[in-house]
Amino acid sequence: MTSIHLIDDASAPAIGDIRAAGDGDVICVRSAATSRRDFPRYWEAVGVALVRGAVVRVMNREEI
């Protein structure tokens, strides 16, 4: 099942959900997410998901 996860400055799924994402999942990271205090932990989880096969989109102004 495909899941779309959005990380931005105001909201984000649980870090464990990002880390568990894999083939067929899409993770969208808005540039505003870098202002989150926990962004380094999310970025590490995104890396794990990428290795597991998730598609990662770093977004500037695009919409999902």
Side-chain angles (χ1 to χ4, degrees), residues 6-62:
L6 175 65
I7 304 170
D8 64 14
D9 58 337
S11 65
I15 290 175
D17 290 346
I18 298 296
R19 190 172 283 115
D23 190 33
D25 295 321
V26 178
I27 301 171
C28 300
V29 182
R30 290 203 170 134
S31 59
T34 60
S35 67
R36 297 178 62 94
R37 294 180 82 165
D38 56 357
F39 182 72
R41 293 179 62 211
Y42 272 98
W43 195 241
E44 184 271 333
V46 167
V48 171
L50 182 65
V51 170
R52 293 171 49 91
V55 173
V56 177
R57 292 182 57 203
V58 179
M59 303 168 60
N60 188 21
R61 295 186 187 128
E62 303 91 341

